């Protein structure tokens, strides 16, 4: 497929799958979003309370004890607990995003292959063994990327600590090499989700399958993913900007009121200005995650099938045809999806 | 229609959507880059050291110092990163007969006149809506003046230049892009609904939350002019009128009684009550004189 064909297929795929895909995203991501928003609001709210109390010398609202400006142990533990709760909430949101993407991937691949699949079936499949494989694959992939950067960073830190210039320089060079290696591997492993979700590969098999698909097409895949990623980011940003503005409305009202009155900002002002920031940011981030989870798997699925056509697994399509028309020419994709 | 998109038998709506997104990404990023280059080439600002007062006063002084550079960047980026790419895309994807495709014609004087009149009549209502957000947010006038500094002229020569940058250029470039290409192409599949879709996208593209509703309404009205007249002339004239009036008001700062029209906290409701029916009546008249123009003929190959 040419680039225009990929655009056209993606548009057609969005048209034929948007309701099912969006439903799967909403079902998985809305509860996770509530968890995230709650975690974010809780942490930001506690930080604001601490700031207000520290400035005013008031007793801690939770323990009733006099707040030591130097920070009590109890306060520190509470703050740490809320921070970890926020991190946990963030992990829940990230995991839910990938599971939603898996569900959309299944719907998209089925549509491209001419297989009829309902949103409930896609949801069921995305929450089964495939979910476990996907999460393990993501953890493994993340571990590889972290490992690539770990040694160069240790060299830089070691060089700085021991005042050894060559160690720091090599460490810096190592970071650059690690960055290129990460990008290379990220593109090579860009289709593990399709391998796990549609071809039912295991974790190692998914890495191998994606590596095989991208082979001899690395630059093409890189360019198209970058281009479509930029377009997706643009869509997400113009849609979330008014949402962000509305979500942070109270904060803007307080800021402009403060600017107009010329009053000196104090703790109670910080409280009123920033009290809604946790909720507002959490809501905006959640909406953008839902949009990304919806869009990314759709164009990735088109590219996945394009690569399969290039490998001769399908004959090249004669024309795009109406929405939902599968790539012409059997055989059916292997393996055939099972219940 | 000898372009590669047409020859490939692809969905024209897909072309419109990807052009809207692709040119949007190109335009916003390139415009920002160009503005930074223009500011750097202008040299360091003397605003901070020479102007007394708070942050806003200094911000306005710096904006004024760099306003020519920023305006030139805006001017160049509209032609280079919006008009040129859309012309290239039309030639490559659809047809060599670009100006016929986008219906780049003047239209009848009656249609152009009614479009201008309708735009002038609707402006108070649009301003009322935008002002409502400004009022509820309690945005101080100093902030509004700071935000409008780039569009405020201080001499007749500067006013003429601003009209070129802010009124003439968007009337050409944005209308060719949004109405001439995006709406025109979407018309082929979704007919009149393209007016609503592109109108809202036009509003979103300006990235101004306070003005989103007003800009979307304007976009829909411009799209209506284009759809009914089958010509770019009326929407271009309307777009020019809207932007030129704003620039002139910022220059003249006329007062009605105690009210500074350019920065009125709230447009008097009776202005809206009088002008809006006139605007709506003009739109109805426009609809009648343009007749039944449904269907979307494309240039023959």
């Amino acid at each position: 497929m040419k680039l225009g064909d990929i655009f056209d297929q993606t548009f057609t795929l969005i048209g034929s799958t948007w309701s099912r895909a969006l439903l799967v995203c909403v079902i998985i991501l809305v509860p996770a979003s509530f968890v995230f928003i709650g975690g974010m609001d809780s942490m930001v709210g506690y930080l604001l309370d601490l700031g207000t109390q520290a400035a005013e010398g008031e007793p801690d609202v939770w323990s009733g004890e006099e707040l030591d400006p130097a920070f009590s142990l109890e306060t520190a533990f509470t703050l740490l607990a809320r921070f970890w709760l926020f991190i946990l909430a963030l992990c829940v949101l990230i995991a839910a995003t990938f599971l939603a993407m898996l569900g959309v991937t299944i719907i998209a691949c089925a549509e491209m292959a001419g297989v009829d699949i309902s949103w409930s079936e896609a949801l069921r499949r995305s929450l089964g063994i495939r979910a476990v494989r996907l999460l393990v694959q993501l953890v493994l992939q993340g571990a590889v990327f972290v490992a690539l950067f770990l040694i160069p960073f240790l060299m830089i830190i070691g060089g700085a600590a021991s005042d050894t210039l060559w160690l720091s320089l090599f460490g810096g060079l190592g970071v650059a090499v690690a960055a290129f290696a990460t990008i290379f591997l990220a593109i090579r492993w860009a289709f593990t989700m399709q391998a796990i979700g549609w071809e039912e590969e295991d974790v190692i098999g998914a890495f191998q399958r994606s590596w095989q698909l991208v082979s001899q097409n690395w630059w093409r895949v890189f360019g198209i993913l970058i281009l479509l990623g930029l377009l997706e980011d643009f869509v997400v940003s113009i849609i979330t900007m008014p949402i962000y503005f509305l979500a942070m409305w109270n904060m803007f009202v307080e800021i402009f009121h403060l600017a107009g009155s010329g009053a000196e900002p104090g703790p109670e002002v910080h409280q009123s200005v920033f009290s809604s920031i946790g909720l507002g940011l959490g809501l905006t981030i959640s909406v953008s995650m839902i949009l990304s989870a919806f869009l990314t798997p759709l164009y990735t699925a088109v590219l996945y099938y394009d690569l399969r056509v290039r490998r001769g697994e399908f004959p090249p399509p004669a024309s795009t045809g109406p929405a939902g028309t599968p790539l012409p020419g059997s055989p059916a994709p292997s393996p055939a999806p099972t219940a | 229609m000898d372009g590669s998109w047409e020859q490939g038998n692809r969905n024209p709506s897909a072309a419109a959507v990807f052009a809207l997104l692709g040119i949007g990404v190109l335009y916003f990023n390139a415009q920002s880059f160009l503005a930074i280059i223009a500011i750097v080439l202008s040299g360091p600002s003397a605003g901070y050291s020479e102007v007394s007062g708070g942050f806003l006063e200094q911000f306005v002084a710096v904006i004024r110092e760099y306003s020519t550079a920023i305006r030139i960047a805006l001017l160049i980026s509209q032609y280079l990163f919006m008009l040129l790419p859309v012309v290239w895309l039309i030639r490559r994807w659809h047809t060599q007969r670009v100006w016929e495709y986008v219906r780049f014609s003047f239209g009848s004087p009656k249609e152009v006149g009614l479009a201008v009149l309708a735009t002038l009549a609707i402006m108070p209502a649009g301003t009322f809506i935008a002002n409502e957000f400004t009022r509820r947010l309690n945005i101080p006038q100093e902030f509004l003046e700071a935000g409008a500094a780039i569009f405020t002229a201080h001499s007749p020569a500067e006013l003429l230049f601003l009209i070129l940058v802010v009124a003439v250029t968007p009337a050409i470039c944005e209308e060719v892009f949004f109405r001439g290409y995006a709406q025109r192409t979407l018309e082929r599949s979704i007919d009149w609904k393209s007016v609503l879709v592109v109108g809202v996208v036009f509003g979103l593209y300006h990235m101004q939350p306070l003005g989103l509703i007003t800009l979307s309404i304007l976009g829909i009205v411009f799209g209506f002019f284009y759809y009914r007249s089958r010509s770019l002339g009326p929407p271009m004239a309307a777009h020019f009128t809207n932007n030129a009036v704003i620039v002139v008001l910022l220059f003249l700062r006329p007062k009605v009684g105690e009210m500074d029209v350019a920065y009125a906290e709230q447009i008097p409701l009776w202005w809206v009550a009088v002008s809006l029916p006139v605007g709506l009546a003009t739109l109805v008249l426009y609809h009648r004189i343009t007749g039944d123009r449904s269907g979307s003929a494309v240039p023959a190959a």
Side-chain angles (χ1 to χ4, degrees), chain B residues 175 178-179 183 194-196 198-203 206 212-226 235:
Chain B
E175 287 310 310
F178 285 103
R179 257 56 69 179
Q183 183 177 317
S194 60
V195 173
L196 300 174
V198 175
V200 171
V201 171
F202 175 81
H206 284 74
L212 175 61
I213 295 176
T214 304
L215 287 164
S216 298
I217 292 171
L218 267 180
I220 291 169
V221 168
F222 296 161
F224 168 73
F225 294 148
Y226 179 74

PDB file of all heavy atoms in Angstrom, chain B residues 175 178-179 183 194-196 198-203 206 212-226 235:
ATOM      1  N   GLU B 175      -9.525  30.539   3.854  1.00  0.00           N
ATOM      2  CA  GLU B 175     -10.739  30.190   3.110  1.00  0.00           C
ATOM      3  C   GLU B 175     -10.447  29.143   2.025  1.00  0.00           C
ATOM      4  O   GLU B 175     -11.246  28.227   1.815  1.00  0.00           O
ATOM      5  CB  GLU B 175     -11.358  31.439   2.483  1.00  0.00           C
ATOM      6  CG  GLU B 175     -12.034  32.347   3.504  1.00  0.00           C
ATOM      7  CD  GLU B 175     -13.001  31.608   4.411  1.00  0.00           C
ATOM      8  OE1 GLU B 175     -13.855  30.863   3.894  1.00  0.00           O
ATOM      9  OE2 GLU B 175     -12.869  31.748   5.647  1.00  0.00           O
ATOM     10  N   PHE B 178      -9.878  25.851   4.332  1.00  0.00           N
ATOM     11  CA  PHE B 178     -11.022  25.286   5.046  1.00  0.00           C
ATOM     12  C   PHE B 178     -12.244  25.090   4.141  1.00  0.00           C
ATOM     13  O   PHE B 178     -12.795  24.000   4.069  1.00  0.00           O
ATOM     14  CB  PHE B 178     -11.400  26.169   6.246  1.00  0.00           C
ATOM     15  CG  PHE B 178     -10.461  26.037   7.402  1.00  0.00           C
ATOM     16  CD1 PHE B 178      -9.512  27.015   7.666  1.00  0.00           C
ATOM     17  CD2 PHE B 178     -10.502  24.930   8.230  1.00  0.00           C
ATOM     18  CE1 PHE B 178      -8.630  26.883   8.723  1.00  0.00           C
ATOM     19  CE2 PHE B 178      -9.621  24.794   9.295  1.00  0.00           C
ATOM     20  CZ  PHE B 178      -8.677  25.778   9.537  1.00  0.00           C
ATOM     21  N   ARG B 179     -12.631  26.170   3.468  1.00  0.00           N
ATOM     22  CA  ARG B 179     -13.818  26.052   2.633  1.00  0.00           C
ATOM     23  C   ARG B 179     -13.487  25.465   1.267  1.00  0.00           C
ATOM     24  O   ARG B 179     -14.113  24.509   0.829  1.00  0.00           O
ATOM     25  CB  ARG B 179     -14.482  27.438   2.466  1.00  0.00           C
ATOM     26  CG  ARG B 179     -15.723  27.677   3.314  1.00  0.00           C
ATOM     27  CD  ARG B 179     -15.558  27.492   4.800  1.00  0.00           C
ATOM     28  NE  ARG B 179     -14.733  28.520   5.399  1.00  0.00           N
ATOM     29  CZ  ARG B 179     -14.461  28.588   6.718  1.00  0.00           C
ATOM     30  NH1 ARG B 179     -14.939  27.696   7.537  1.00  0.00           N
ATOM     31  NH2 ARG B 179     -13.696  29.552   7.203  1.00  0.00           N
ATOM     32  N   GLN B 183     -13.977  21.681   3.078  1.00  0.00           N
ATOM     33  CA  GLN B 183     -15.438  21.607   2.962  1.00  0.00           C
ATOM     34  C   GLN B 183     -15.843  21.104   1.593  1.00  0.00           C
ATOM     35  O   GLN B 183     -16.748  20.273   1.476  1.00  0.00           O
ATOM     36  CB  GLN B 183     -16.067  22.976   3.233  1.00  0.00           C
ATOM     37  CG  GLN B 183     -17.589  22.954   3.198  1.00  0.00           C
ATOM     38  CD  GLN B 183     -18.215  24.289   3.530  1.00  0.00           C
ATOM     39  OE1 GLN B 183     -17.786  24.974   4.449  1.00  0.00           O
ATOM     40  NE2 GLN B 183     -19.236  24.661   2.773  1.00  0.00           N
ATOM     41  N   SER B 194     -21.009  19.009   5.743  1.00  0.00           N
ATOM     42  CA  SER B 194     -19.618  19.468   5.706  1.00  0.00           C
ATOM     43  C   SER B 194     -19.503  20.894   6.248  1.00  0.00           C
ATOM     44  O   SER B 194     -18.458  21.264   6.803  1.00  0.00           O
ATOM     45  CB  SER B 194     -19.089  19.421   4.266  1.00  0.00           C
ATOM     46  OG  SER B 194     -19.864  20.258   3.435  1.00  0.00           O
ATOM     47  N   VAL B 195     -20.563  21.688   6.108  1.00  0.00           N
ATOM     48  CA  VAL B 195     -20.562  23.063   6.620  1.00  0.00           C
ATOM     49  C   VAL B 195     -20.371  23.052   8.141  1.00  0.00           C
ATOM     50  O   VAL B 195     -19.571  23.810   8.690  1.00  0.00           O
ATOM     51  CB  VAL B 195     -21.878  23.778   6.260  1.00  0.00           C
ATOM     52  CG1 VAL B 195     -21.952  25.133   6.932  1.00  0.00           C
ATOM     53  CG2 VAL B 195     -22.022  23.918   4.755  1.00  0.00           C
ATOM     54  N   LEU B 196     -21.100  22.157   8.809  1.00  0.00           N
ATOM     55  CA  LEU B 196     -21.017  22.079  10.272  1.00  0.00           C
ATOM     56  C   LEU B 196     -19.670  21.527  10.724  1.00  0.00           C
ATOM     57  O   LEU B 196     -19.036  22.069  11.642  1.00  0.00           O
ATOM     58  CB  LEU B 196     -22.142  21.183  10.809  1.00  0.00           C
ATOM     59  CG  LEU B 196     -23.569  21.629  10.497  1.00  0.00           C
ATOM     60  CD1 LEU B 196     -24.576  20.594  10.962  1.00  0.00           C
ATOM     61  CD2 LEU B 196     -23.852  22.977  11.138  1.00  0.00           C
ATOM     62  N   VAL B 198     -16.682  21.341   9.152  1.00  0.00           N
ATOM     63  CA  VAL B 198     -15.534  22.225   8.911  1.00  0.00           C
ATOM     64  C   VAL B 198     -15.640  23.501   9.748  1.00  0.00           C
ATOM     65  O   VAL B 198     -14.631  24.038  10.193  1.00  0.00           O
ATOM     66  CB  VAL B 198     -15.420  22.547   7.403  1.00  0.00           C
ATOM     67  CG1 VAL B 198     -14.318  23.562   7.143  1.00  0.00           C
ATOM     68  CG2 VAL B 198     -15.147  21.271   6.614  1.00  0.00           C
ATOM     69  N   GLY B 199     -16.877  23.962   9.981  1.00  0.00           N
ATOM     70  CA  GLY B 199     -17.062  25.146  10.830  1.00  0.00           C
ATOM     71  C   GLY B 199     -16.528  24.924  12.240  1.00  0.00           C
ATOM     72  O   GLY B 199     -15.824  25.770  12.802  1.00  0.00           O
ATOM     73  N   VAL B 200     -16.845  23.763  12.813  1.00  0.00           N
ATOM     74  CA  VAL B 200     -16.365  23.456  14.171  1.00  0.00           C
ATOM     75  C   VAL B 200     -14.846  23.261  14.177  1.00  0.00           C
ATOM     76  O   VAL B 200     -14.134  23.721  15.072  1.00  0.00           O
ATOM     77  CB  VAL B 200     -17.087  22.211  14.725  1.00  0.00           C
ATOM     78  CG1 VAL B 200     -16.465  21.759  16.022  1.00  0.00           C
ATOM     79  CG2 VAL B 200     -18.567  22.511  14.933  1.00  0.00           C
ATOM     80  N   VAL B 201     -14.347  22.577  13.147  1.00  0.00           N
ATOM     81  CA  VAL B 201     -12.889  22.377  13.050  1.00  0.00           C
ATOM     82  C   VAL B 201     -12.174  23.729  12.940  1.00  0.00           C
ATOM     83  O   VAL B 201     -11.131  23.945  13.549  1.00  0.00           O
ATOM     84  CB  VAL B 201     -12.549  21.475  11.845  1.00  0.00           C
ATOM     85  CG1 VAL B 201     -11.050  21.448  11.595  1.00  0.00           C
ATOM     86  CG2 VAL B 201     -13.050  20.059  12.084  1.00  0.00           C
ATOM     87  N   PHE B 202     -12.767  24.634  12.167  1.00  0.00           N
ATOM     88  CA  PHE B 202     -12.224  25.997  12.032  1.00  0.00           C
ATOM     89  C   PHE B 202     -12.112  26.658  13.404  1.00  0.00           C
ATOM     90  O   PHE B 202     -11.107  27.284  13.736  1.00  0.00           O
ATOM     91  CB  PHE B 202     -13.147  26.787  11.101  1.00  0.00           C
ATOM     92  CG  PHE B 202     -12.806  28.243  10.936  1.00  0.00           C
ATOM     93  CD1 PHE B 202     -11.805  28.640  10.057  1.00  0.00           C
ATOM     94  CD2 PHE B 202     -13.496  29.225  11.629  1.00  0.00           C
ATOM     95  CE1 PHE B 202     -11.498  29.990   9.881  1.00  0.00           C
ATOM     96  CE2 PHE B 202     -13.201  30.572  11.463  1.00  0.00           C
ATOM     97  CZ  PHE B 202     -12.198  30.952  10.592  1.00  0.00           C
ATOM     98  N   GLY B 203     -13.161  26.500  14.223  1.00  0.00           N
ATOM     99  CA  GLY B 203     -13.136  27.064  15.579  1.00  0.00           C
ATOM    100  C   GLY B 203     -12.066  26.423  16.441  1.00  0.00           C
ATOM    101  O   GLY B 203     -11.323  27.104  17.147  1.00  0.00           O
ATOM    102  N   HIS B 206      -8.248  27.480  15.937  1.00  0.00           N
ATOM    103  CA  HIS B 206      -7.716  28.742  16.429  1.00  0.00           C
ATOM    104  C   HIS B 206      -7.162  28.630  17.843  1.00  0.00           C
ATOM    105  O   HIS B 206      -6.545  29.568  18.349  1.00  0.00           O
ATOM    106  CB  HIS B 206      -8.784  29.840  16.352  1.00  0.00           C
ATOM    107  CG  HIS B 206      -8.997  30.362  14.966  1.00  0.00           C
ATOM    108  ND1 HIS B 206      -9.660  29.661  13.987  1.00  0.00           N
ATOM    109  CD2 HIS B 206      -8.596  31.516  14.378  1.00  0.00           C
ATOM    110  CE1 HIS B 206      -9.674  30.360  12.858  1.00  0.00           C
ATOM    111  NE2 HIS B 206      -9.038  31.491  13.062  1.00  0.00           N
ATOM    112  N   LEU B 212     -13.984  29.834  21.229  1.00  0.00           N
ATOM    113  CA  LEU B 212     -14.311  28.615  20.473  1.00  0.00           C
ATOM    114  C   LEU B 212     -15.716  28.677  19.888  1.00  0.00           C
ATOM    115  O   LEU B 212     -15.923  28.394  18.699  1.00  0.00           O
ATOM    116  CB  LEU B 212     -14.162  27.392  21.375  1.00  0.00           C
ATOM    117  CG  LEU B 212     -14.582  26.056  20.767  1.00  0.00           C
ATOM    118  CD1 LEU B 212     -13.759  25.735  19.543  1.00  0.00           C
ATOM    119  CD2 LEU B 212     -14.445  24.926  21.787  1.00  0.00           C
ATOM    120  N   ILE B 213     -16.688  29.052  20.718  1.00  0.00           N
ATOM    121  CA  ILE B 213     -18.075  29.047  20.238  1.00  0.00           C
ATOM    122  C   ILE B 213     -18.251  30.096  19.147  1.00  0.00           C
ATOM    123  O   ILE B 213     -18.834  29.827  18.093  1.00  0.00           O
ATOM    124  CB  ILE B 213     -19.052  29.294  21.414  1.00  0.00           C
ATOM    125  CG1 ILE B 213     -18.982  28.127  22.397  1.00  0.00           C
ATOM    126  CG2 ILE B 213     -20.477  29.488  20.903  1.00  0.00           C
ATOM    127  CD1 ILE B 213     -19.829  28.299  23.623  1.00  0.00           C
ATOM    128  N   THR B 214     -17.732  31.301  19.397  1.00  0.00           N
ATOM    129  CA  THR B 214     -17.867  32.387  18.410  1.00  0.00           C
ATOM    130  C   THR B 214     -17.193  32.012  17.097  1.00  0.00           C
ATOM    131  O   THR B 214     -17.765  32.201  16.012  1.00  0.00           O
ATOM    132  CB  THR B 214     -17.233  33.678  18.959  1.00  0.00           C
ATOM    133  OG1 THR B 214     -17.828  33.995  20.210  1.00  0.00           O
ATOM    134  CG2 THR B 214     -17.432  34.842  18.012  1.00  0.00           C
ATOM    135  N   LEU B 215     -15.976  31.472  17.185  1.00  0.00           N
ATOM    136  CA  LEU B 215     -15.240  31.131  15.968  1.00  0.00           C
ATOM    137  C   LEU B 215     -15.912  29.981  15.219  1.00  0.00           C
ATOM    138  O   LEU B 215     -15.916  29.955  13.985  1.00  0.00           O
ATOM    139  CB  LEU B 215     -13.796  30.763  16.317  1.00  0.00           C
ATOM    140  CG  LEU B 215     -12.923  31.945  16.723  1.00  0.00           C
ATOM    141  CD1 LEU B 215     -11.652  31.478  17.420  1.00  0.00           C
ATOM    142  CD2 LEU B 215     -12.553  32.792  15.507  1.00  0.00           C
ATOM    143  N   SER B 216     -16.474  29.040  15.955  1.00  0.00           N
ATOM    144  CA  SER B 216     -17.174  27.930  15.295  1.00  0.00           C
ATOM    145  C   SER B 216     -18.411  28.440  14.564  1.00  0.00           C
ATOM    146  O   SER B 216     -18.696  28.025  13.436  1.00  0.00           O
ATOM    147  CB  SER B 216     -17.564  26.855  16.311  1.00  0.00           C
ATOM    148  OG  SER B 216     -16.424  26.302  16.907  1.00  0.00           O
ATOM    149  N   ILE B 217     -19.130  29.351  15.211  1.00  0.00           N
ATOM    150  CA  ILE B 217     -20.317  29.935  14.554  1.00  0.00           C
ATOM    151  C   ILE B 217     -19.900  30.682  13.296  1.00  0.00           C
ATOM    152  O   ILE B 217     -20.511  30.535  12.230  1.00  0.00           O
ATOM    153  CB  ILE B 217     -21.070  30.879  15.515  1.00  0.00           C
ATOM    154  CG1 ILE B 217     -21.714  30.076  16.653  1.00  0.00           C
ATOM    155  CG2 ILE B 217     -22.147  31.687  14.774  1.00  0.00           C
ATOM    156  CD1 ILE B 217     -22.296  30.924  17.750  1.00  0.00           C
ATOM    157  N   LEU B 218     -18.822  31.455  13.401  1.00  0.00           N
ATOM    158  CA  LEU B 218     -18.306  32.173  12.225  1.00  0.00           C
ATOM    159  C   LEU B 218     -17.923  31.190  11.128  1.00  0.00           C
ATOM    160  O   LEU B 218     -18.240  31.400   9.952  1.00  0.00           O
ATOM    161  CB  LEU B 218     -17.068  32.982  12.607  1.00  0.00           C
ATOM    162  CG  LEU B 218     -17.274  34.426  13.026  1.00  0.00           C
ATOM    163  CD1 LEU B 218     -15.927  35.055  13.364  1.00  0.00           C
ATOM    164  CD2 LEU B 218     -17.974  35.244  11.941  1.00  0.00           C
ATOM    165  N   GLY B 219     -17.242  30.127  11.529  1.00  0.00           N
ATOM    166  CA  GLY B 219     -16.828  29.120  10.547  1.00  0.00           C
ATOM    167  C   GLY B 219     -18.023  28.506   9.853  1.00  0.00           C
ATOM    168  O   GLY B 219     -17.992  28.278   8.635  1.00  0.00           O
ATOM    169  N   ILE B 220     -19.082  28.241  10.594  1.00  0.00           N
ATOM    170  CA  ILE B 220     -20.298  27.665  10.000  1.00  0.00           C
ATOM    171  C   ILE B 220     -20.952  28.676   9.055  1.00  0.00           C
ATOM    172  O   ILE B 220     -21.413  28.320   7.962  1.00  0.00           O
ATOM    173  CB  ILE B 220     -21.271  27.215  11.105  1.00  0.00           C
ATOM    174  CG1 ILE B 220     -20.691  26.003  11.842  1.00  0.00           C
ATOM    175  CG2 ILE B 220     -22.648  26.880  10.542  1.00  0.00           C
ATOM    176  CD1 ILE B 220     -21.419  25.627  13.111  1.00  0.00           C
ATOM    177  N   VAL B 221     -20.954  29.934   9.461  1.00  0.00           N
ATOM    178  CA  VAL B 221     -21.561  30.971   8.605  1.00  0.00           C
ATOM    179  C   VAL B 221     -20.770  31.123   7.299  1.00  0.00           C
ATOM    180  O   VAL B 221     -21.357  31.172   6.212  1.00  0.00           O
ATOM    181  CB  VAL B 221     -21.633  32.316   9.365  1.00  0.00           C
ATOM    182  CG1 VAL B 221     -21.986  33.461   8.435  1.00  0.00           C
ATOM    183  CG2 VAL B 221     -22.669  32.236  10.488  1.00  0.00           C
ATOM    184  N   PHE B 222     -19.424  31.167   7.413  1.00  0.00           N
ATOM    185  CA  PHE B 222     -18.590  31.255   6.190  1.00  0.00           C
ATOM    186  C   PHE B 222     -18.834  30.038   5.306  1.00  0.00           C
ATOM    187  O   PHE B 222     -18.917  30.143   4.080  1.00  0.00           O
ATOM    188  CB  PHE B 222     -17.101  31.329   6.547  1.00  0.00           C
ATOM    189  CG  PHE B 222     -16.689  32.552   7.324  1.00  0.00           C
ATOM    190  CD1 PHE B 222     -15.491  32.570   8.032  1.00  0.00           C
ATOM    191  CD2 PHE B 222     -17.478  33.694   7.345  1.00  0.00           C
ATOM    192  CE1 PHE B 222     -15.106  33.690   8.761  1.00  0.00           C
ATOM    193  CE2 PHE B 222     -17.097  34.819   8.070  1.00  0.00           C
ATOM    194  CZ  PHE B 222     -15.907  34.813   8.781  1.00  0.00           C
ATOM    195  N   GLY B 223     -18.939  28.871   5.961  1.00  0.00           N
ATOM    196  CA  GLY B 223     -19.189  27.651   5.203  1.00  0.00           C
ATOM    197  C   GLY B 223     -20.533  27.673   4.513  1.00  0.00           C
ATOM    198  O   GLY B 223     -20.677  27.183   3.385  1.00  0.00           O
ATOM    199  N   PHE B 224     -21.500  28.250   5.160  1.00  0.00           N
ATOM    200  CA  PHE B 224     -22.835  28.399   4.561  1.00  0.00           C
ATOM    201  C   PHE B 224     -22.768  29.270   3.312  1.00  0.00           C
ATOM    202  O   PHE B 224     -23.362  28.939   2.273  1.00  0.00           O
ATOM    203  CB  PHE B 224     -23.779  29.002   5.606  1.00  0.00           C
ATOM    204  CG  PHE B 224     -25.096  29.476   5.065  1.00  0.00           C
ATOM    205  CD1 PHE B 224     -26.076  28.577   4.677  1.00  0.00           C
ATOM    206  CD2 PHE B 224     -25.359  30.832   4.915  1.00  0.00           C
ATOM    207  CE1 PHE B 224     -27.289  29.019   4.169  1.00  0.00           C
ATOM    208  CE2 PHE B 224     -26.566  31.277   4.415  1.00  0.00           C
ATOM    209  CZ  PHE B 224     -27.534  30.362   4.041  1.00  0.00           C
ATOM    210  N   PHE B 225     -22.015  30.385   3.406  1.00  0.00           N
ATOM    211  CA  PHE B 225     -21.878  31.266   2.236  1.00  0.00           C
ATOM    212  C   PHE B 225     -21.267  30.493   1.063  1.00  0.00           C
ATOM    213  O   PHE B 225     -21.702  30.608  -0.084  1.00  0.00           O
ATOM    214  CB  PHE B 225     -20.989  32.466   2.557  1.00  0.00           C
ATOM    215  CG  PHE B 225     -21.560  33.415   3.576  1.00  0.00           C
ATOM    216  CD1 PHE B 225     -20.732  34.113   4.445  1.00  0.00           C
ATOM    217  CD2 PHE B 225     -22.935  33.632   3.669  1.00  0.00           C
ATOM    218  CE1 PHE B 225     -21.251  34.997   5.386  1.00  0.00           C
ATOM    219  CE2 PHE B 225     -23.457  34.516   4.604  1.00  0.00           C
ATOM    220  CZ  PHE B 225     -22.615  35.188   5.465  1.00  0.00           C
ATOM    221  N   TYR B 226     -20.229  29.725   1.377  1.00  0.00           N
ATOM    222  CA  TYR B 226     -19.529  28.977   0.337  1.00  0.00           C
ATOM    223  C   TYR B 226     -20.436  27.902  -0.265  1.00  0.00           C
ATOM    224  O   TYR B 226     -20.504  27.728  -1.480  1.00  0.00           O
ATOM    225  CB  TYR B 226     -18.267  28.341   0.924  1.00  0.00           C
ATOM    226  CG  TYR B 226     -17.465  27.520  -0.051  1.00  0.00           C
ATOM    227  CD1 TYR B 226     -16.703  28.129  -1.044  1.00  0.00           C
ATOM    228  CD2 TYR B 226     -17.442  26.131   0.030  1.00  0.00           C
ATOM    229  CE1 TYR B 226     -15.960  27.375  -1.936  1.00  0.00           C
ATOM    230  CE2 TYR B 226     -16.699  25.375  -0.862  1.00  0.00           C
ATOM    231  CZ  TYR B 226     -15.955  26.000  -1.834  1.00  0.00           C
ATOM    232  OH  TYR B 226     -15.222  25.255  -2.722  1.00  0.00           O
ATOM    233  N   PRO B 235     -17.440  33.937   1.181  1.00  0.00           N
ATOM    234  CA  PRO B 235     -16.774  33.678   2.462  1.00  0.00           C
ATOM    235  C   PRO B 235     -15.478  34.452   2.634  1.00  0.00           C
ATOM    236  O   PRO B 235     -15.134  34.852   3.747  1.00  0.00           O
ATOM    237  CB  PRO B 235     -16.511  32.166   2.445  1.00  0.00           C
ATOM    238  CG  PRO B 235     -16.606  31.751   1.033  1.00  0.00           C
ATOM    239  CD  PRO B 235     -17.553  32.693   0.387  1.00  0.00           C
TER     240      PRO B 235
END
